[in-house]
Amino acid sequence: MNNKRKRILLSLIGMFLFVVMFGTGTYAWFKWRSTAEQNVNVNLTASSTITFIGGPDIIGELEPVLNKEEGVLKQIKITSDIPGNRFSLYMKINSLPDELKNSTFLWAIYKGNEYIDGDNFENYNNDDNIVLLSDVQISSDSTDVYNIYYWIDGSVVNNSNMMNKTVKLSLYATGESGVINEIE
């Protein structure tokens, strides 16, 4: 009887682990996440730093959502020790399948909660560079936080061919000095 209880207990544990692994694996398959989880600092000058939270790369599959907050968020923090430094921020399209060149695949950039700009990917191609911010002054008395959202608008009917397509984007910045050093 003791051996039978062991088998039942081991079977229950095995089934529980299978359900947990299957559930998390399925969730990860449906929910897009950036593959780069480390922060990357970019020194614009000796006194200014841009930090790409989770790294500068955005790679993954998206699913339709009802609002931008349910999509993908990329956060950028910018600091400067002295006033007067300026920077520009860009998004490079490394890989954009034709199915995602659609008016319902969107991006928007905010400074805190203040909307700055946004667009869809309908008229963009691989290797295009999108100017997110141009020649912006960096605060010297605080950290500026920019939020970039990526999402497929689920409030409208989307082309079913958009599913399971992978997008690859990269963020980069330039500053007054023109020299950028990446620090991991």
mmCIF file with all atom_site columns, all heavy atoms in Angstrom, residues 68-93:
data_model
loop_
_atom_site.group_PDB
_atom_site.id
_atom_site.type_symbol
_atom_site.label_atom_id
_atom_site.label_alt_id
_atom_site.label_comp_id
_atom_site.label_asym_id
_atom_site.label_entity_id
_atom_site.label_seq_id
_atom_site.pdbx_PDB_ins_code
_atom_site.Cartn_x
_atom_site.Cartn_y
_atom_site.Cartn_z
_atom_site.occupancy
_atom_site.B_iso_or_equiv
_atom_site.pdbx_formal_charge
_atom_site.auth_seq_id
_atom_site.auth_comp_id
_atom_site.auth_asym_id
_atom_site.auth_atom_id
_atom_site.pdbx_PDB_model_num
ATOM 1   N N   . LYS A 1 68 ? -2.802 50.978 -25.302 1.00 0.00 ? 68 LYS A N   1
ATOM 2   C CA  . LYS A 1 68 ? -1.335 50.930 -25.361 1.00 0.00 ? 68 LYS A CA  1
ATOM 3   C C   . LYS A 1 68 ? -0.718 50.347 -24.105 1.00 0.00 ? 68 LYS A C   1
ATOM 4   O O   . LYS A 1 68 ? 0.321  49.702 -24.156 1.00 0.00 ? 68 LYS A O   1
ATOM 5   C CB  . LYS A 1 68 ? -0.778 52.316 -25.651 1.00 0.00 ? 68 LYS A CB  1
ATOM 6   C CG  . LYS A 1 68 ? -0.903 53.300 -24.509 1.00 0.00 ? 68 LYS A CG  1
ATOM 7   C CD  . LYS A 1 68 ? -0.356 54.659 -24.886 1.00 0.00 ? 68 LYS A CD  1
ATOM 8   C CE  . LYS A 1 68 ? -0.386 55.649 -23.771 1.00 0.00 ? 68 LYS A CE  1
ATOM 9   N NZ  . LYS A 1 68 ? -1.611 55.757 -23.011 1.00 0.00 ? 68 LYS A NZ  1
ATOM 10  N N   . GLU A 1 69 ? -1.342 50.563 -22.953 1.00 0.00 ? 69 GLU A N   1
ATOM 11  C CA  . GLU A 1 69 ? -0.788 50.066 -21.688 1.00 0.00 ? 69 GLU A CA  1
ATOM 12  C C   . GLU A 1 69 ? -0.725 48.542 -21.640 1.00 0.00 ? 69 GLU A C   1
ATOM 13  O O   . GLU A 1 69 ? 0.048  47.971 -20.883 1.00 0.00 ? 69 GLU A O   1
ATOM 14  C CB  . GLU A 1 69 ? -1.598 50.590 -20.495 1.00 0.00 ? 69 GLU A CB  1
ATOM 15  C CG  . GLU A 1 69 ? -1.380 52.067 -20.215 1.00 0.00 ? 69 GLU A CG  1
ATOM 16  C CD  . GLU A 1 69 ? -2.229 52.986 -21.089 1.00 0.00 ? 69 GLU A CD  1
ATOM 17  O OE1 . GLU A 1 69 ? -3.153 52.485 -21.785 1.00 0.00 ? 69 GLU A OE1 1
ATOM 18  O OE2 . GLU A 1 69 ? -1.968 54.196 -21.094 1.00 0.00 ? 69 GLU A OE2 1
ATOM 19  N N   . GLU A 1 70 ? -1.539 47.872 -22.436 1.00 0.00 ? 70 GLU A N   1
ATOM 20  C CA  . GLU A 1 70 ? -1.515 46.409 -22.482 1.00 0.00 ? 70 GLU A CA  1
ATOM 21  C C   . GLU A 1 70 ? -0.513 45.886 -23.510 1.00 0.00 ? 70 GLU A C   1
ATOM 22  O O   . GLU A 1 70 ? -0.273 44.694 -23.602 1.00 0.00 ? 70 GLU A O   1
ATOM 23  C CB  . GLU A 1 70 ? -2.911 45.875 -22.814 1.00 0.00 ? 70 GLU A CB  1
ATOM 24  C CG  . GLU A 1 70 ? -3.933 46.156 -21.732 1.00 0.00 ? 70 GLU A CG  1
ATOM 25  C CD  . GLU A 1 70 ? -5.322 45.706 -22.129 1.00 0.00 ? 70 GLU A CD  1
ATOM 26  O OE1 . GLU A 1 70 ? -5.482 45.035 -23.166 1.00 0.00 ? 70 GLU A OE1 1
ATOM 27  O OE2 . GLU A 1 70 ? -6.269 46.037 -21.392 1.00 0.00 ? 70 GLU A OE2 1
ATOM 28  N N   . GLY A 1 71 ? 0.073  46.793 -24.288 1.00 0.00 ? 71 GLY A N   1
ATOM 29  C CA  . GLY A 1 71 ? 1.068  46.403 -25.277 1.00 0.00 ? 71 GLY A CA  1
ATOM 30  C C   . GLY A 1 71 ? 2.449  46.334 -24.658 1.00 0.00 ? 71 GLY A C   1
ATOM 31  O O   . GLY A 1 71 ? 2.607  46.018 -23.485 1.00 0.00 ? 71 GLY A O   1
ATOM 32  N N   . VAL A 1 72 ? 3.455  46.663 -25.425 1.00 0.00 ? 72 VAL A N   1
ATOM 33  C CA  . VAL A 1 72 ? 4.842  46.612 -24.982 1.00 0.00 ? 72 VAL A CA  1
ATOM 34  C C   . VAL A 1 72 ? 5.298  48.014 -24.598 1.00 0.00 ? 72 VAL A C   1
ATOM 35  O O   . VAL A 1 72 ? 5.044  48.970 -25.332 1.00 0.00 ? 72 VAL A O   1
ATOM 36  C CB  . VAL A 1 72 ? 5.742  46.045 -26.096 1.00 0.00 ? 72 VAL A CB  1
ATOM 37  C CG1 . VAL A 1 72 ? 7.203  46.108 -25.706 1.00 0.00 ? 72 VAL A CG1 1
ATOM 38  C CG2 . VAL A 1 72 ? 5.331  44.630 -26.418 1.00 0.00 ? 72 VAL A CG2 1
ATOM 39  N N   . LEU A 1 73 ? 5.959  48.120 -23.467 1.00 0.00 ? 73 LEU A N   1
ATOM 40  C CA  . LEU A 1 73 ? 6.485  49.399 -23.002 1.00 0.00 ? 73 LEU A CA  1
ATOM 41  C C   . LEU A 1 73 ? 8.003  49.333 -22.996 1.00 0.00 ? 73 LEU A C   1
ATOM 42  O O   . LEU A 1 73 ? 8.594  48.404 -22.456 1.00 0.00 ? 73 LEU A O   1
ATOM 43  C CB  . LEU A 1 73 ? 5.985  49.703 -21.581 1.00 0.00 ? 73 LEU A CB  1
ATOM 44  C CG  . LEU A 1 73 ? 6.674  50.858 -20.854 1.00 0.00 ? 73 LEU A CG  1
ATOM 45  C CD1 . LEU A 1 73 ? 6.402  52.185 -21.555 1.00 0.00 ? 73 LEU A CD1 1
ATOM 46  C CD2 . LEU A 1 73 ? 6.207  50.919 -19.406 1.00 0.00 ? 73 LEU A CD2 1
ATOM 47  N N   . LYS A 1 74 ? 8.636  50.313 -23.595 1.00 0.00 ? 74 LYS A N   1
ATOM 48  C CA  . LYS A 1 74 ? 10.086 50.479 -23.542 1.00 0.00 ? 74 LYS A CA  1
ATOM 49  C C   . LYS A 1 74 ? 10.339 51.800 -22.835 1.00 0.00 ? 74 LYS A C   1
ATOM 50  O O   . LYS A 1 74 ? 9.833  52.839 -23.244 1.00 0.00 ? 74 LYS A O   1
ATOM 51  C CB  . LYS A 1 74 ? 10.660 50.505 -24.960 1.00 0.00 ? 74 LYS A CB  1
ATOM 52  C CG  . LYS A 1 74 ? 12.144 50.332 -25.001 1.00 0.00 ? 74 LYS A CG  1
ATOM 53  C CD  . LYS A 1 74 ? 12.505 48.973 -24.491 1.00 0.00 ? 74 LYS A CD  1
ATOM 54  C CE  . LYS A 1 74 ? 13.884 48.590 -24.931 1.00 0.00 ? 74 LYS A CE  1
ATOM 55  N NZ  . LYS A 1 74 ? 14.287 47.331 -24.381 1.00 0.00 ? 74 LYS A NZ  1
ATOM 56  N N   . GLN A 1 75 ? 11.125 51.754 -21.766 1.00 0.00 ? 75 GLN A N   1
ATOM 57  C CA  . GLN A 1 75 ? 11.367 52.951 -20.965 1.00 0.00 ? 75 GLN A CA  1
ATOM 58  C C   . GLN A 1 75 ? 12.814 53.411 -21.122 1.00 0.00 ? 75 GLN A C   1
ATOM 59  O O   . GLN A 1 75 ? 13.725 52.599 -21.163 1.00 0.00 ? 75 GLN A O   1
ATOM 60  C CB  . GLN A 1 75 ? 11.064 52.658 -19.503 1.00 0.00 ? 75 GLN A CB  1
ATOM 61  C CG  . GLN A 1 75 ? 10.847 53.892 -18.678 1.00 0.00 ? 75 GLN A CG  1
ATOM 62  C CD  . GLN A 1 75 ? 10.301 53.536 -17.307 1.00 0.00 ? 75 GLN A CD  1
ATOM 63  O OE1 . GLN A 1 75 ? 10.992 52.879 -16.530 1.00 0.00 ? 75 GLN A OE1 1
ATOM 64  N NE2 . GLN A 1 75 ? 9.090  53.968 -17.024 1.00 0.00 ? 75 GLN A NE2 1
ATOM 65  N N   . ILE A 1 76 ? 12.973 54.743 -21.211 1.00 0.00 ? 76 ILE A N   1
ATOM 66  C CA  . ILE A 1 76 ? 14.286 55.349 -21.380 1.00 0.00 ? 76 ILE A CA  1
ATOM 67  C C   . ILE A 1 76 ? 14.432 56.439 -20.327 1.00 0.00 ? 76 ILE A C   1
ATOM 68  O O   . ILE A 1 76 ? 13.552 57.287 -20.180 1.00 0.00 ? 76 ILE A O   1
ATOM 69  C CB  . ILE A 1 76 ? 14.428 55.956 -22.788 1.00 0.00 ? 76 ILE A CB  1
ATOM 70  C CG1 . ILE A 1 76 ? 14.302 54.838 -23.825 1.00 0.00 ? 76 ILE A CG1 1
ATOM 71  C CG2 . ILE A 1 76 ? 15.748 56.673 -22.958 1.00 0.00 ? 76 ILE A CG2 1
ATOM 72  C CD1 . ILE A 1 76 ? 13.689 55.273 -25.084 1.00 0.00 ? 76 ILE A CD1 1
ATOM 73  N N   . LYS A 1 77 ? 15.545 56.405 -19.598 1.00 0.00 ? 77 LYS A N   1
ATOM 74  C CA  . LYS A 1 77 ? 15.834 57.423 -18.585 1.00 0.00 ? 77 LYS A CA  1
ATOM 75  C C   . LYS A 1 77 ? 17.046 58.227 -19.024 1.00 0.00 ? 77 LYS A C   1
ATOM 76  O O   . LYS A 1 77 ? 18.044 57.667 -19.461 1.00 0.00 ? 77 LYS A O   1
ATOM 77  C CB  . LYS A 1 77 ? 16.085 56.776 -17.225 1.00 0.00 ? 77 LYS A CB  1
ATOM 78  C CG  . LYS A 1 77 ? 14.857 56.079 -16.681 1.00 0.00 ? 77 LYS A CG  1
ATOM 79  C CD  . LYS A 1 77 ? 15.099 55.491 -15.317 1.00 0.00 ? 77 LYS A CD  1
ATOM 80  C CE  . LYS A 1 77 ? 13.826 54.831 -14.816 1.00 0.00 ? 77 LYS A CE  1
ATOM 81  N NZ  . LYS A 1 77 ? 14.008 54.260 -13.492 1.00 0.00 ? 77 LYS A NZ  1
ATOM 82  N N   . ILE A 1 78 ? 16.952 59.565 -18.870 1.00 0.00 ? 78 ILE A N   1
ATOM 83  C CA  . ILE A 1 78 ? 18.003 60.453 -19.356 1.00 0.00 ? 78 ILE A CA  1
ATOM 84  C C   . ILE A 1 78 ? 18.406 61.402 -18.238 1.00 0.00 ? 78 ILE A C   1
ATOM 85  O O   . ILE A 1 78 ? 17.553 62.028 -17.605 1.00 0.00 ? 78 ILE A O   1
ATOM 86  C CB  . ILE A 1 78 ? 17.518 61.249 -20.581 1.00 0.00 ? 78 ILE A CB  1
ATOM 87  C CG1 . ILE A 1 78 ? 17.096 60.257 -21.663 1.00 0.00 ? 78 ILE A CG1 1
ATOM 88  C CG2 . ILE A 1 78 ? 18.591 62.184 -21.081 1.00 0.00 ? 78 ILE A CG2 1
ATOM 89  C CD1 . ILE A 1 78 ? 16.302 60.845 -22.760 1.00 0.00 ? 78 ILE A CD1 1
ATOM 90  N N   . THR A 1 79 ? 19.714 61.477 -17.990 1.00 0.00 ? 79 THR A N   1
ATOM 91  C CA  . THR A 1 79 ? 20.230 62.366 -16.954 1.00 0.00 ? 79 THR A CA  1
ATOM 92  C C   . THR A 1 79 ? 21.396 63.187 -17.503 1.00 0.00 ? 79 THR A C   1
ATOM 93  O O   . THR A 1 79 ? 22.062 62.779 -18.458 1.00 0.00 ? 79 THR A O   1
ATOM 94  C CB  . THR A 1 79 ? 20.730 61.577 -15.727 1.00 0.00 ? 79 THR A CB  1
ATOM 95  O OG1 . THR A 1 79 ? 21.773 60.692 -16.148 1.00 0.00 ? 79 THR A OG1 1
ATOM 96  C CG2 . THR A 1 79 ? 19.621 60.768 -15.087 1.00 0.00 ? 79 THR A CG2 1
ATOM 97  N N   . SER A 1 80 ? 21.632 64.334 -16.862 1.00 0.00 ? 80 SER A N   1
ATOM 98  C CA  . SER A 1 80 ? 22.770 65.172 -17.209 1.00 0.00 ? 80 SER A CA  1
ATOM 99  C C   . SER A 1 80 ? 23.232 65.910 -15.963 1.00 0.00 ? 80 SER A C   1
ATOM 100 O O   . SER A 1 80 ? 22.413 66.337 -15.151 1.00 0.00 ? 80 SER A O   1
ATOM 101 C CB  . SER A 1 80 ? 22.391 66.179 -18.294 1.00 0.00 ? 80 SER A CB  1
ATOM 102 O OG  . SER A 1 80 ? 23.525 66.950 -18.644 1.00 0.00 ? 80 SER A OG  1
ATOM 103 N N   . ASP A 1 81 ? 24.533 66.024 -15.814 1.00 0.00 ? 81 ASP A N   1
ATOM 104 C CA  . ASP A 1 81 ? 25.106 66.733 -14.668 1.00 0.00 ? 81 ASP A CA  1
ATOM 105 C C   . ASP A 1 81 ? 25.222 68.237 -14.906 1.00 0.00 ? 81 ASP A C   1
ATOM 106 O O   . ASP A 1 81 ? 25.344 69.006 -13.963 1.00 0.00 ? 81 ASP A O   1
ATOM 107 C CB  . ASP A 1 81 ? 26.500 66.183 -14.340 1.00 0.00 ? 81 ASP A CB  1
ATOM 108 C CG  . ASP A 1 81 ? 26.428 64.747 -13.858 1.00 0.00 ? 81 ASP A CG  1
ATOM 109 O OD1 . ASP A 1 81 ? 25.364 64.330 -13.356 1.00 0.00 ? 81 ASP A OD1 1
ATOM 110 O OD2 . ASP A 1 81 ? 27.430 64.040 -13.998 1.00 0.00 ? 81 ASP A OD2 1
ATOM 111 N N   . ILE A 1 82 ? 25.208 68.643 -16.161 1.00 0.00 ? 82 ILE A N   1
ATOM 112 C CA  . ILE A 1 82 ? 25.335 70.075 -16.458 1.00 0.00 ? 82 ILE A CA  1
ATOM 113 C C   . ILE A 1 82 ? 24.226 70.498 -17.412 1.00 0.00 ? 82 ILE A C   1
ATOM 114 O O   . ILE A 1 82 ? 23.755 69.696 -18.225 1.00 0.00 ? 82 ILE A O   1
ATOM 115 C CB  . ILE A 1 82 ? 26.717 70.428 -17.050 1.00 0.00 ? 82 ILE A CB  1
ATOM 116 C CG1 . ILE A 1 82 ? 26.965 69.659 -18.355 1.00 0.00 ? 82 ILE A CG1 1
ATOM 117 C CG2 . ILE A 1 82 ? 27.832 70.163 -16.060 1.00 0.00 ? 82 ILE A CG2 1
ATOM 118 C CD1 . ILE A 1 82 ? 28.215 70.089 -19.080 1.00 0.00 ? 82 ILE A CD1 1
ATOM 119 N N   . PRO A 1 83 ? 23.769 71.744 -17.348 1.00 0.00 ? 83 PRO A N   1
ATOM 120 C CA  . PRO A 1 83 ? 22.703 72.202 -18.245 1.00 0.00 ? 83 PRO A CA  1
ATOM 121 C C   . PRO A 1 83 ? 23.209 72.422 -19.670 1.00 0.00 ? 83 PRO A C   1
ATOM 122 O O   . PRO A 1 83 ? 24.394 72.602 -19.899 1.00 0.00 ? 83 PRO A O   1
ATOM 123 C CB  . PRO A 1 83 ? 22.258 73.532 -17.611 1.00 0.00 ? 83 PRO A CB  1
ATOM 124 C CG  . PRO A 1 83 ? 23.423 73.983 -16.797 1.00 0.00 ? 83 PRO A CG  1
ATOM 125 C CD  . PRO A 1 83 ? 24.169 72.752 -16.372 1.00 0.00 ? 83 PRO A CD  1
ATOM 126 N N   . GLY A 1 84 ? 22.269 72.360 -20.609 1.00 0.00 ? 84 GLY A N   1
ATOM 127 C CA  . GLY A 1 84 ? 22.581 72.693 -21.987 1.00 0.00 ? 84 GLY A CA  1
ATOM 128 C C   . GLY A 1 84 ? 22.837 71.511 -22.903 1.00 0.00 ? 84 GLY A C   1
ATOM 129 O O   . GLY A 1 84 ? 22.905 71.697 -24.113 1.00 0.00 ? 84 GLY A O   1
ATOM 130 N N   . ASN A 1 85 ? 22.991 70.293 -22.370 1.00 0.00 ? 85 ASN A N   1
ATOM 131 C CA  . ASN A 1 85 ? 23.220 69.140 -23.246 1.00 0.00 ? 85 ASN A CA  1
ATOM 132 C C   . ASN A 1 85 ? 21.935 68.780 -23.985 1.00 0.00 ? 85 ASN A C   1
ATOM 133 O O   . ASN A 1 85 ? 20.834 68.924 -23.462 1.00 0.00 ? 85 ASN A O   1
ATOM 134 C CB  . ASN A 1 85 ? 23.710 67.937 -22.439 1.00 0.00 ? 85 ASN A CB  1
ATOM 135 C CG  . ASN A 1 85 ? 25.139 68.093 -22.003 1.00 0.00 ? 85 ASN A CG  1
ATOM 136 O OD1 . ASN A 1 85 ? 25.907 68.848 -22.588 1.00 0.00 ? 85 ASN A OD1 1
ATOM 137 N ND2 . ASN A 1 85 ? 25.521 67.379 -20.957 1.00 0.00 ? 85 ASN A ND2 1
ATOM 138 N N   . ARG A 1 86 ? 22.098 68.297 -25.211 1.00 0.00 ? 86 ARG A N   1
ATOM 139 C CA  . ARG A 1 86 ? 20.961 67.964 -26.053 1.00 0.00 ? 86 ARG A CA  1
ATOM 140 C C   . ARG A 1 86 ? 21.162 66.567 -26.646 1.00 0.00 ? 86 ARG A C   1
ATOM 141 O O   . ARG A 1 86 ? 22.289 66.087 -26.743 1.00 0.00 ? 86 ARG A O   1
ATOM 142 C CB  . ARG A 1 86 ? 20.810 69.000 -27.161 1.00 0.00 ? 86 ARG A CB  1
ATOM 143 C CG  . ARG A 1 86 ? 20.693 70.429 -26.626 1.00 0.00 ? 86 ARG A CG  1
ATOM 144 C CD  . ARG A 1 86 ? 20.464 71.440 -27.707 1.00 0.00 ? 86 ARG A CD  1
ATOM 145 N NE  . ARG A 1 86 ? 19.087 71.512 -28.148 1.00 0.00 ? 86 ARG A NE  1
ATOM 146 C CZ  . ARG A 1 86 ? 18.098 72.092 -27.452 1.00 0.00 ? 86 ARG A CZ  1
ATOM 147 N NH1 . ARG A 1 86 ? 18.332 72.613 -26.281 1.00 0.00 ? 86 ARG A NH1 1
ATOM 148 N NH2 . ARG A 1 86 ? 16.874 72.128 -27.942 1.00 0.00 ? 86 ARG A NH2 1
ATOM 149 N N   . PHE A 1 87 ? 20.051 65.934 -27.050 1.00 0.00 ? 87 PHE A N   1
ATOM 150 C CA  . PHE A 1 87 ? 20.136 64.601 -27.649 1.00 0.00 ? 87 PHE A CA  1
ATOM 151 C C   . PHE A 1 87 ? 18.999 64.415 -28.648 1.00 0.00 ? 87 PHE A C   1
ATOM 152 O O   . PHE A 1 87 ? 18.008 65.149 -28.645 1.00 0.00 ? 87 PHE A O   1
ATOM 153 C CB  . PHE A 1 87 ? 20.075 63.509 -26.577 1.00 0.00 ? 87 PHE A CB  1
ATOM 154 C CG  . PHE A 1 87 ? 18.678 63.230 -26.084 1.00 0.00 ? 87 PHE A CG  1
ATOM 155 C CD1 . PHE A 1 87 ? 18.002 62.099 -26.501 1.00 0.00 ? 87 PHE A CD1 1
ATOM 156 C CD2 . PHE A 1 87 ? 18.041 64.107 -25.212 1.00 0.00 ? 87 PHE A CD2 1
ATOM 157 C CE1 . PHE A 1 87 ? 16.713 61.855 -26.060 1.00 0.00 ? 87 PHE A CE1 1
ATOM 158 C CE2 . PHE A 1 87 ? 16.767 63.859 -24.764 1.00 0.00 ? 87 PHE A CE2 1
ATOM 159 C CZ  . PHE A 1 87 ? 16.092 62.730 -25.193 1.00 0.00 ? 87 PHE A CZ  1
ATOM 160 N N   . SER A 1 88 ? 19.153 63.400 -29.494 1.00 0.00 ? 88 SER A N   1
ATOM 161 C CA  . SER A 1 88 ? 18.105 62.945 -30.409 1.00 0.00 ? 88 SER A CA  1
ATOM 162 C C   . SER A 1 88 ? 17.947 61.446 -30.219 1.00 0.00 ? 88 SER A C   1
ATOM 163 O O   . SER A 1 88 ? 18.924 60.740 -29.940 1.00 0.00 ? 88 SER A O   1
ATOM 164 C CB  . SER A 1 88 ? 18.462 63.263 -31.858 1.00 0.00 ? 88 SER A CB  1
ATOM 165 O OG  . SER A 1 88 ? 18.539 64.657 -32.057 1.00 0.00 ? 88 SER A OG  1
ATOM 166 N N   . LEU A 1 89 ? 16.730 60.954 -30.357 1.00 0.00 ? 89 LEU A N   1
ATOM 167 C CA  . LEU A 1 89 ? 16.418 59.542 -30.154 1.00 0.00 ? 89 LEU A CA  1
ATOM 168 C C   . LEU A 1 89 ? 15.776 58.983 -31.417 1.00 0.00 ? 89 LEU A C   1
ATOM 169 O O   . LEU A 1 89 ? 14.906 59.621 -32.011 1.00 0.00 ? 89 LEU A O   1
ATOM 170 C CB  . LEU A 1 89 ? 15.464 59.388 -28.965 1.00 0.00 ? 89 LEU A CB  1
ATOM 171 C CG  . LEU A 1 89 ? 15.064 57.979 -28.573 1.00 0.00 ? 89 LEU A CG  1
ATOM 172 C CD1 . LEU A 1 89 ? 16.272 57.191 -28.051 1.00 0.00 ? 89 LEU A CD1 1
ATOM 173 C CD2 . LEU A 1 89 ? 13.971 58.031 -27.501 1.00 0.00 ? 89 LEU A CD2 1
ATOM 174 N N   . TYR A 1 90 ? 16.230 57.786 -31.831 1.00 0.00 ? 90 TYR A N   1
ATOM 175 C CA  . TYR A 1 90 ? 15.777 57.167 -33.064 1.00 0.00 ? 90 TYR A CA  1
ATOM 176 C C   . TYR A 1 90 ? 15.349 55.728 -32.824 1.00 0.00 ? 90 TYR A C   1
ATOM 177 O O   . TYR A 1 90 ? 15.830 55.073 -31.908 1.00 0.00 ? 90 TYR A O   1
ATOM 178 C CB  . TYR A 1 90 ? 16.906 57.143 -34.107 1.00 0.00 ? 90 TYR A CB  1
ATOM 179 C CG  . TYR A 1 90 ? 17.486 58.494 -34.395 1.00 0.00 ? 90 TYR A CG  1
ATOM 180 C CD1 . TYR A 1 90 ? 18.547 58.993 -33.638 1.00 0.00 ? 90 TYR A CD1 1
ATOM 181 C CD2 . TYR A 1 90 ? 16.978 59.287 -35.420 1.00 0.00 ? 90 TYR A CD2 1
ATOM 182 C CE1 . TYR A 1 90 ? 19.089 60.241 -33.902 1.00 0.00 ? 90 TYR A CE1 1
ATOM 183 C CE2 . TYR A 1 90 ? 17.517 60.531 -35.687 1.00 0.00 ? 90 TYR A CE2 1
ATOM 184 C CZ  . TYR A 1 90 ? 18.566 61.006 -34.926 1.00 0.00 ? 90 TYR A CZ  1
ATOM 185 O OH  . TYR A 1 90 ? 19.102 62.236 -35.177 1.00 0.00 ? 90 TYR A OH  1
ATOM 186 N N   . MET A 1 91 ? 14.474 55.244 -33.714 1.00 0.00 ? 91 MET A N   1
ATOM 187 C CA  . MET A 1 91 ? 14.079 53.843 -33.735 1.00 0.00 ? 91 MET A CA  1
ATOM 188 C C   . MET A 1 91 ? 14.415 53.303 -35.119 1.00 0.00 ? 91 MET A C   1
ATOM 189 O O   . MET A 1 91 ? 13.961 53.848 -36.130 1.00 0.00 ? 91 MET A O   1
ATOM 190 C CB  . MET A 1 91 ? 12.582 53.691 -33.458 1.00 0.00 ? 91 MET A CB  1
ATOM 191 C CG  . MET A 1 91 ? 12.069 52.275 -33.602 1.00 0.00 ? 91 MET A CG  1
ATOM 192 S SD  . MET A 1 91 ? 10.341 52.067 -33.091 1.00 0.00 ? 91 MET A SD  1
ATOM 193 C CE  . MET A 1 91 ? 9.495  53.396 -33.943 1.00 0.00 ? 91 MET A CE  1
ATOM 194 N N   . LYS A 1 92 ? 15.236 52.266 -35.170 1.00 0.00 ? 92 LYS A N   1
ATOM 195 C CA  . LYS A 1 92 ? 15.600 51.633 -36.440 1.00 0.00 ? 92 LYS A CA  1
ATOM 196 C C   . LYS A 1 92 ? 14.759 50.374 -36.614 1.00 0.00 ? 92 LYS A C   1
ATOM 197 O O   . LYS A 1 92 ? 14.620 49.574 -35.693 1.00 0.00 ? 92 LYS A O   1
ATOM 198 C CB  . LYS A 1 92 ? 17.077 51.268 -36.474 1.00 0.00 ? 92 LYS A CB  1
ATOM 199 C CG  . LYS A 1 92 ? 17.473 50.632 -37.799 1.00 0.00 ? 92 LYS A CG  1
ATOM 200 C CD  . LYS A 1 92 ? 18.944 50.425 -37.922 1.00 0.00 ? 92 LYS A CD  1
ATOM 201 C CE  . LYS A 1 92 ? 19.235 50.100 -39.351 1.00 0.00 ? 92 LYS A CE  1
ATOM 202 N NZ  . LYS A 1 92 ? 19.754 48.939 -39.711 1.00 0.00 ? 92 LYS A NZ  1
ATOM 203 N N   . ILE A 1 93 ? 14.199 50.216 -37.801 1.00 0.00 ? 93 ILE A N   1
ATOM 204 C CA  . ILE A 1 93 ? 13.430 49.014 -38.116 1.00 0.00 ? 93 ILE A CA  1
ATOM 205 C C   . ILE A 1 93 ? 14.390 48.002 -38.722 1.00 0.00 ? 93 ILE A C   1
ATOM 206 O O   . ILE A 1 93 ? 14.868 48.176 -39.838 1.00 0.00 ? 93 ILE A O   1
ATOM 207 C CB  . ILE A 1 93 ? 12.280 49.325 -39.087 1.00 0.00 ? 93 ILE A CB  1
ATOM 208 C CG1 . ILE A 1 93 ? 11.331 50.333 -38.448 1.00 0.00 ? 93 ILE A CG1 1
ATOM 209 C CG2 . ILE A 1 93 ? 11.550 48.044 -39.470 1.00 0.00 ? 93 ILE A CG2 1
ATOM 210 C CD1 . ILE A 1 93 ? 10.231 50.817 -39.360 1.00 0.00 ? 93 ILE A CD1 1
#
